[in-house]
Amino acid sequence: MKKVLLSICTILLLLTGCSLTFKDEEIPKQENPIEPDTSQEEVNPKEEWIEDTLDNLSLEEKIGQMLIVSDYNTSMTDELLTNFNEVKPGGFILFGENIKSYEQTTNLIKDIKNTSNIPLFISIDQEGGRVQRIKKMPDATVSIIPPMYNLGLTNDTNLAYEVGKVIGEELRVFDINMDFAPVLDIYSNPKNTVIGNRSFGTTAEIVSNMGISLAKGLENTGIIPVYKHFPGHGDTLEDSHTTLPIINKTKEELMDMELKPFIEAIENDAEIIMVSHLAVPKITGNNTPATLSKEIITDLLKEELGFDGIVITDALNMKALTNKYTEEEIYINAINAGVDILLMPDFDIETINIIKQAITSAEISEEQIDKSVSKILDLKYDLLEEENIYTKEYLGSISHQEIISKIDEVS
């Protein structure tokens, strides 16, 4: 009888538009809830390319991506091609020895780029002043850029930006995409000959403002600027090409001077910073070169200053390193310190083997390699569809000469 009454009550409630309520524990639970449809979610093409490319690289190829190599040939010889095929480097640096004419240089770069399915960093030191790899050619006129110190005397950031564009437009004629400039070292020691007039000036403000403006000009033309030489090479007497410079300053003293331009660069989205071969014993407690120091690269540059871009070494064939360290020690210590790209290691398969063996023996973690290569691929993605829109007519053009003449007027 109770069941009949309950049924009648239920029917009456439904007919009157009322609803029944249940206690929480009485609510029937759905055993297999419907999952939201994520098939239509947008896929980030950049992230997808990075992930797919990284997954398809062998360990040897990952290591290769962390190398920017050099060779002094003017054309693609059989031996050079063999080295490219074996090492599969991530980039190449051009020197004056590689550059003899417009046609020869463009052909060499084209042949280098054709050795890889992944975009290569085609790099160069084109600062202006005494560090200009591309100069006069028999078949092309190239703009001669005054020293950066002369540019700094103008204290004109708009002019610095325009000079960056001039350098960038002329580099892009050759399909170069990376410039080891600007120099952010402060010319605070008048006896410093290795930096000297390569610097924009004697104060952190001038160096920061002019250097970052020039870098923006480079970026405007599709050139990747590389800020150098962290943590600051301006107050040294020694040349790291021949010996190890030592900076006897505390971290606080560096923060007040040498590090200021780099802090400004980081705040302006610097993508690559070059670390120099100099010792800062009051930070590291010893004379370990900054290039091989975890305290300088990971603790100071990355964690304290917040740099999350690519760290590249200065050239690894410089005597500040080779006088004391073996090839194995240089590669292993640099990577473990937090370096992402090794500049100018020995260009042969033995370099790959040394680093691979260090990974196999757990002296280097493969996770660190993957992090570095991911950052490298992230920067290279933008090079995939990049077209070279600059032609030979840009070299030494009238508009370029007008910009350069503004530096000469002041200096």
Side-chain angles (χ1 to χ4, degrees):
M1 187 65 182
K2 288 181 179 179
K3 290 183 178 179
V4 173
L5 289 172
L6 181 60
S7 298
I8 293 170
C9 290
T10 302
I11 292 169
L12 288 172
L13 287 168
L14 291 171
L15 289 173
T16 58
C18 298
S19 60
L20 289 172
T21 57
F22 298 89
K23 294 180 180 179
D24 289 345
E25 62 269 15
E26 294 173 343
I27 297 175
K29 295 181 180 179
Q30 189 175 354
E31 292 185 6
N32 297 305
I34 299 173
E35 295 290 336
D37 182 10
T38 59
S39 60
Q40 300 303 314
E41 288 184 4
E42 272 191 36
V43 177
N44 185 313
K46 184 175 189 177
E47 291 179 1
E48 186 177 39
W49 180 80
I50 293 170
E51 185 176 344
D52 289 346
T53 304
L54 189 63
D55 287 345
N56 288 308
L57 291 176
S58 67
L59 178 57
E60 292 85 351
E61 290 170 329
K62 290 177 187 177
I63 297 167
Q65 283 299 306
M66 297 175 65
L67 311 179
I68 291 182
V69 297
S70 64
D71 182 277
Y72 296 129
N73 275 298
T74 56
S75 62
M76 183 61 73
T77 64
D78 290 342
E79 181 181 1
L80 183 55
L81 181 59
T82 297
N83 285 341
F84 272 105
N85 290 335
E86 288 183 348
V87 177
K88 295 182 175 61
F92 187 85
I93 179 172
L94 292 153
F95 283 92
E97 291 85 345
N98 300 116
I99 301 166
K100 300 303 176 186
S101 70
Y102 167 79
E103 184 176 2
Q104 165 269 322
T105 303
T106 52
N107 286 336
L108 172 63
I109 292 172
K110 180 181 178 181
D111 289 342
I112 290 172
K113 292 183 71 173
N114 285 338
T115 64
S116 177
N117 293 323
I118 299 174
L120 289 170
F121 292 136
I122 306 298
S123 62
I124 196 167
D125 288 294
Q126 191 78 354
E127 302 172 9
R130 55 190 157 108
V131 182
Q132 280 181 93
R133 308 306 186 199
I134 297 179
K135 296 182 179 179
K136 293 180 181 178
M137 297 180 169
D139 54 351
T141 301
V142 180
S143 297
I144 303 302
I145 311 294
M148 290 300 98
Y149 187 82
N150 294 21
L151 177 58
L153 290 175
T154 70
N155 201 21
D156 185 341
T157 54
N158 290 326
L159 179 58
Y161 175 82
E162 292 299 325
V163 171
K165 283 184 63 178
V166 169
I167 296 172
E169 286 172 354
E170 299 201 6
L171 291 180
R172 284 300 306 279
V173 169
F174 299 93
D175 226 0
I176 293 167
N177 54 38
M178 179 180 287
D179 188 10
F180 294 118
V183 170
L184 291 190
D185 305 304
I186 303 168
Y187 190 17
S188 56
N189 186 341
K191 294 182 180 179
N192 184 326
T193 57
V194 66
I195 297 299
N197 64 3
R198 295 168 65 189
S199 170
F200 288 95
T202 59
T203 69
E205 183 180 13
I206 289 176
V207 170
S208 298
N209 294 340
M210 299 295 283
I212 292 168
S213 296
L214 184 129
K216 297 298 182 185
L218 289 170
E219 289 176 334
N220 179 272
T221 65
I223 299 293
I224 302 166
V226 178
Y227 297 88
K228 61 184 184 183
H229 305 82
F230 187 87
H233 214 312
D235 190 14
T236 60
L237 290 175
E238 300 85 359
D239 183 346
S240 50
H241 290 86
T242 57
T243 190
L244 177 68
I246 297 175
I247 298 180
N248 285 304
K249 290 189 175 184
T250 64
K251 184 169 68 175
E252 290 70 26
E253 288 173 323
L254 291 174
M255 285 285 193
D256 285 340
M257 187 70 163
E258 280 82 359
L259 294 179
K260 281 187 173 180
F262 293 99
I263 292 170
E264 288 290 327
I266 292 168
E267 291 175 352
N268 279 272
D269 303 319
E271 293 176 311
I272 306 187
I273 290 178
M274 177 184 285
V275 179
S276 185
H277 312 312
L278 49 82
V280 193
K282 290 184 179 178
I283 293 180
T284 63
N286 51 45
N287 284 345
T288 300
T291 334
L292 310 182
S293 169
K294 182 177 180 294
E295 290 83 1
I296 297 294
I297 296 175
T298 296
D299 298 347
L300 177 58
L301 177 56
K302 293 186 174 183
E303 294 181 359
E304 188 164 349
L305 301 185
F307 180 62
D308 59 2
I310 291 171
V311 176
I312 186 171
T313 69
D314 206 341
L316 296 182
N317 62 354
M318 293 163 69
K319 291 183 179 180
L321 293 186
T322 60
N323 281 347
K324 184 176 179 181
Y325 299 93
T326 65
E327 193 177 350
E328 291 87 346
E329 289 171 333
I330 291 170
Y331 303 156
I332 294 169
N333 291 341
I335 293 172
N336 282 334
V339 163
D340 301 296
I341 296 179
L342 303 173
L343 178 61
M344 294 176 63
D346 283 354
F347 187 13
D348 57 50
I349 194 62
E350 184 59 23
T351 297
I352 301 291
N353 292 336
I354 288 171
I355 299 172
K356 181 182 177 183
Q357 178 56 42
I359 296 167
T360 303
S361 62
E363 293 177 85
I364 297 174
S365 73
E366 191 166 355
E367 180 184 7
Q368 174 65 32
I369 301 295
D370 286 347
K371 285 181 180 178
S372 293
V373 177
S374 292
K375 287 195 287 186
I376 291 165
L377 294 175
D378 184 273
L379 191 54
K380 285 187 171 186
Y381 180 81
D382 298 330
L383 303 177
L384 281 171
E385 303 299 329
E386 199 171 75
E387 294 184 13
N388 188 17
I389 60 174
Y390 300 98
T391 64
K392 186 178 179 181
E393 284 67 35
Y394 274 82
L395 297 176
S397 67
I398 293 174
S399 63
H400 286 181
Q401 295 311 310
E402 289 174 348
I403 291 168
I404 292 166
S405 66
K406 294 179 182 178
I407 305 173
D408 295 328
E409 287 172 8
V410 174
S411 58

